[in-house]
Amino acid sequence: MINQKDILETITMIQDENLDIRTITMGISLLDCCHSDINIVCDKIYNKITTYAKDLVRTGEQIEKEFGIPIINKRISVTPIAMILAACEDKDAVKIALTLEKAAQTCGVNFIGGFSALVQKGFAHGDRELIEAIPEALAVTEHVCSSVNVGSTKTGINMDAVKLMGETVVRAAERTKDQNCIGPAKLVVFCNAPEDNPFMAGAFHGAGEPDCVINVGVSGPGVVRAALAKSKDLDLTGVADLIKRTAFKITRMGQLVGTEASKRLGVPFGIVDLSLAPTPAVGDSVAHILEEIGLDCCGAPGTTAALAMLNDAVKKGGVMASSHVGGLSGAFIPVSEDAGMIDAARNGCLKIEKLEAMTAVCSVGLDMIVIPGDTTAATISAIIADEAAIGMVNSKTTAVRVIPAIGKKVGDELSFGGLLGSGPVMEVNPVSPAKFIDRGGRIPAPMQSLKN
Amino acid sequence: MRAVISVIGKDTVGILAAVSAKCAEYNINVMDVTQSVLQDMFVMVMMTDISKMNIDFARFVDELSALGKEKNLSIRAMHEDIFNAMHTI
C-alpha cells in the first residue's frame, strides 16, 4: 500500500510545482519515402506520418487523464530531410516543409522536427539546398523545426557550414521580421547532435534509429527548486543528493509514460531524456534552482560550478530510473524560456560570455538568446564556432539558437509567446571575427576523437 | 486495477459521502480510506478497485473534478501506477 505522504508528495509536485512530462515525441523514419519525383516524395511523407502518428495526440491525452500527469507537448521527429532531398531531381525543400506542416496539422501535434541536415564533415547532395531553404521554410510554416549539425568530436568542425549557418540565421530573422523574428527561434545549429532527442527545435530521427520509436522528455525544475527550498541547511553534498533523489522520481514518471505510450501505440520505446526543461511560467525555472542553491542572481560567479553540480546530479538520479536514457539529458538554459534567466539578463547579471561558460557543463548550448538585429552574420558564425568547439573538445552536445531581433537594440524586448517566451536583447561583443570566418575549411577533429 | 482518489480542500460536511456515492454509482469498490484534517485543510486519500467499473476512467476523472469544483475542493482520480513508479523501486 502506498502511503498517504507519498501520494500527497506526487500531487503537490504536479499541482503546485509544475511537474509535467514535457513531450512525447514519435520518431518516424522517412528513408522509405525517397523518390526522384518530389511530388511523390511529398505524398509518401504525408501518408506515412499521418498513418503512424494518427493516434499520438489522442493516446497522449488519454495517458494524461488516467495518470493525472500533464503531458505538455506531443511532437513528431523525422529523418533529416536533406537525406530525402538527395534523391529528388527537383530540390525544392520548401515543398517538403509545407508537407510536414500539413501532416503536423492533420495529426494535431505541437511541433514537427527534422527539417535538418548533417554536414559536420561536408555537404552531400541536398544539404546545401536544404540549408538555403531554411529561412523560407520557417517563415511559411508554423510547426516545422529545423536543425543543422556542423561539427562533432569525431569529425571536427565544418567551418564552411558554420559560415553558411551564420548567414542563414540572419536571413531567417529578416524573413520573419514581421512575426517577431520567430524564424531563428525554430532553428538550432548543433555540434554532436543526438539522434534521439525528443526536444525541439533540435529533434530529428537519426539514420540509425528504427522505423518508428517513442521518446519522452521530462521536465521539473520547479520540483527540484521546491525540494531545495525545504532543505535550506544542507551542505553541497546534501544538495547534490537531494537533486538526485528528486530527479529519480521525475524520471520514473517519464519512464512510466513512455512505456505506456509505446504499449498503447504499438511502437517500440526509445529513450527518456532526463532534462530539466524550464518554461516561462513562474516556479519553473532552472535559474531559480541555481539561486536557491545560494547565488543572489543567476550569472554571478559560482553559476558555472552550481550548474555543473546540478547537471551531474540530474543525470545520476535519472539514469537508474529509466531503462534507456538518451537525447540531451541534463539541465537546459534557454534564456527566453526561463523566468529567472530573463530577469538575470534584464538586470545585466547574466551575459552571453557567462552563458557560454555554462554551456561547457550543461546539456545544451546558447539557447533562445535574443541579440541585436544589426549583429553581423560573421559574428553569429563565430559564436556558433565557439560553441561547436566547446562541444567538440568536451565530447558533448552543444548548440546555438540565437535570434537577431531585426530593428531592435540592446535593452529592447522581443516576445514570441507560448513556450518560447520572451527576452531582452543581449549585448554581443562587436569586434569583428570576419577574417577568421571567411577562411572556411575544416577545423580538424581533436585528439579526443582518436579513441580506437 | 486500482486507482487513488485524493480530495484536498476546506473541510465541509458530506465530502466522504459524496465521493463514495460517485464510486458506488459506477461500481468502483473503495478498499481503503485515510483522512486527516490539518488546521482547516481536509485531506482524504481513497484506494479504490476500478477493475469492475462501468464508466470510462477518463470520464470518471472529469466527473470527480466537476464534483470538486462544485464543492470548492480539489478532487483527483489517478491510476495507482504513477505512485508506484515514483515511490517504489
Side-chain angles (χ1 to χ4, degrees):
Chain A
M1 174 74 190
I2 321 152
N3 73 43
Q4 189 184 7
K5 187 173 146 276
D6 290 343
I7 290 173
L8 291 177
E9 185 189 352
T10 304
I11 292 171
T12 310
M13 282 182 182
I14 295 170
Q15 196 169 283
D16 302 330
E17 296 161 6
N18 297 314
L19 175 63
D20 55 53
I21 301 294
R22 181 52 45 81
T23 177
I24 298 183
T25 305
M26 179 181 268
I28 303 173
S29 167
L30 299 182
L31 289 172
D32 53 352
C33 299
C34 288
H35 197 279
S36 56
D37 181 342
I38 195 164
N39 294 316
I40 296 177
V41 171
C42 288
D43 286 347
K44 282 177 147 189
I45 288 177
Y46 180 81
N47 290 338
K48 182 157 186 182
I49 293 174
T50 51
T51 308
Y52 278 46
K54 69 175 191 305
D55 294 328
L56 177 64
V57 172
R58 194 173 51 83
T59 306
E61 285 167 355
Q62 251 173 20
I63 295 174
E64 198 171 352
K65 217 34 165 316
E66 284 175 29
F67 291 92
I69 170 102
I71 301 170
I72 308 299
N73 285 298
K74 292 91 187 169
R75 300 167 170 169
I76 296 171
S77 64
V78 297
T79 308
I81 293 300
M83 292 167 78
I84 313 299
L85 200 62
C88 300
E89 279 162 13
D90 169 13
K91 297 203 185 324
D92 182 2
V94 176
K95 222 177 226 177
I96 301 186
L98 288 167
T99 305
L100 294 176
E101 174 68 23
K102 198 169 107 190
Q105 287 185 5
T106 306
C107 299
V109 292
N110 309 89
F111 278 118
I112 185 163
F115 195 76
S116 307
L118 311 178
V119 294
Q120 58 268 31
K121 214 166 177 183
F123 300 93
H125 283 296
D127 289 339
R128 278 188 191 276
E129 289 85 350
L130 182 120
I131 293 172
E132 183 67 28
I134 287 174
E136 181 66 16
L138 295 179
V140 297
T141 60
E142 191 185 340
H143 300 89
V144 175
C145 290
S146 176
S147 55
V148 175
N149 194 59
V150 297
S152 77
T153 303
K154 273 283 179 199
T155 63
I157 303 171
N158 178 354
M159 289 300 289
D160 294 326
V162 167
K163 178 166 195 272
L164 192 55
M165 288 317 295
E167 294 158 2
T168 306
V169 168
V170 172
R171 280 175 48 224
E174 277 167 356
R175 180 65 184 78
T176 50
K177 64 175 182 230
D178 300 332
Q179 304 161 56
N180 291 323
C181 306
I182 189 85
K186 299 182 286 182
L187 170 62
V188 185
V189 188
F190 272 119
C191 175
N192 288 324
E195 303 207 336
D196 51 7
N197 164 24
F199 285 101
M200 294 296 170
F204 64 87
H205 186 74
E209 295 283 307
D211 190 43
C212 187
V213 73
I214 288 288
N215 297 322
V216 169
V218 297
S219 179
V223 181
V224 174
R225 187 200 177 197
L228 290 172
K230 284 176 214 149
S231 321
K232 292 216 180 282
D233 51 351
L234 292 174
D235 71 356
L236 287 172
T237 309
V239 168
D241 267 343
L242 184 62
I243 296 169
K244 275 197 290 192
R245 281 204 299 275
T246 314
F248 177 84
K249 290 177 183 169
I250 297 170
T251 311
R252 290 281 280 190
M253 198 99 74
Q255 172 79 14
L256 172 72
V257 168
T259 43
E260 197 61 36
S262 119
K263 198 167 77 192
R264 292 184 190 192
L265 289 163
V267 169
F269 176 52
I271 54 100
V272 175
D273 188 321
L274 321 170
S275 284
L276 286 184
T279 66
V282 175
D284 207 19
S285 151
V286 169
H288 287 157
I289 299 177
L290 302 176
E291 290 166 9
E292 196 63 57
I293 292 174
L295 304 166
D296 275 358
C297 180
C298 178
T303 302
T304 312
L307 181 62
M309 182 198 62
L310 171 67
N311 197 50
D312 182 64
V314 166
K315 285 189 239 181
K316 284 176 178 161
V319 81
M320 187 180 153
S322 171
S323 46
H324 297 284
V325 171
L328 296 162
S329 285
F332 289 176
I333 51 168
V335 176
S336 80
E337 297 174 3
D338 184 309
M341 297 273 176
I342 296 170
D343 288 343
R346 268 189 201 138
N347 69 26
C349 183
L350 184 62
K351 302 209 180 316
I352 288 187
E353 285 72 15
K354 188 63 182 175
L355 281 160
E356 183 182 323
M358 290 160 75
T359 65
V361 299
C362 78
S363 70
V364 272
L366 293 174
D367 198 13
M368 290 305 285
I369 297 173
V370 184
I371 56 175
D374 59 0
T375 310
T376 63
T379 295
I380 295 173
S381 292
I383 292 174
I384 294 170
D386 283 343
E387 262 319 291
I390 291 173
M392 173 180 80
V393 171
N394 293 301
S395 305
K396 73 182 287 291
T397 304
T398 47
V400 173
R401 183 164 48 148
V402 292
I403 300 103
I406 304 299
K408 293 188 191 279
K409 54 185 195 311
V410 176
D412 292 346
E413 296 268 333
L414 191 64
S415 172
F416 308 107
L419 275 183
L420 297 173
S422 66
V425 178
M426 294 177 77
E427 192 182 352
V428 172
N429 186 329
V431 179
S432 174
K435 261 188 210 160
F436 169 62
I437 295 301
D438 280 340
R439 282 177 186 270
R442 281 163 54 200
I443 293 183
M447 284 303 287
Q448 286 85 328
S449 69
L450 301 174
K451 283 193 176 153
N452 292 343
Chain B
M1 263 217 311
R2 301 195 299 184
V4 173
I5 299 176
S6 63
V7 182
I8 303 170
K10 215 170 154 54
D11 196 9
T12 53
V13 175
I15 300 174
L16 178 57
V19 178
S20 318
K22 276 272 174 230
C23 291
E25 187 183 343
Y26 298 118
N27 204 31
I28 291 169
N29 186 28
V30 178
M31 299 159 72
D32 190 18
V33 184
T34 55
Q35 55 175 348
S36 49
V37 178
L38 303 164
Q39 286 145 3
D40 17 332
M41 224 30 173
F42 173 83
V43 179
M44 178 172 79
V45 176
M46 275 180 164
M47 180 61 82
T48 61
D49 180 356
I50 54 169
S51 49
K52 290 184 185 140
M53 69 177 167
N54 54 21
I55 181 174
D56 178 48
F57 188 65
R59 266 193 53 210
F60 182 62
V61 172
D62 287 339
E63 291 221 3
L64 281 187
S65 154
L67 176 69
K69 274 211 184 96
E70 196 182 297
K71 293 191 173 289
N72 211 12
L73 295 160
S74 152
I75 308 184
R76 291 163 177 258
M78 294 156 79
H79 202 287
E80 176 199 33
D81 283 355
I82 192 160
F83 303 102
N84 285 334
M86 201 182 238
H87 299 286
T88 57
I89 297 177

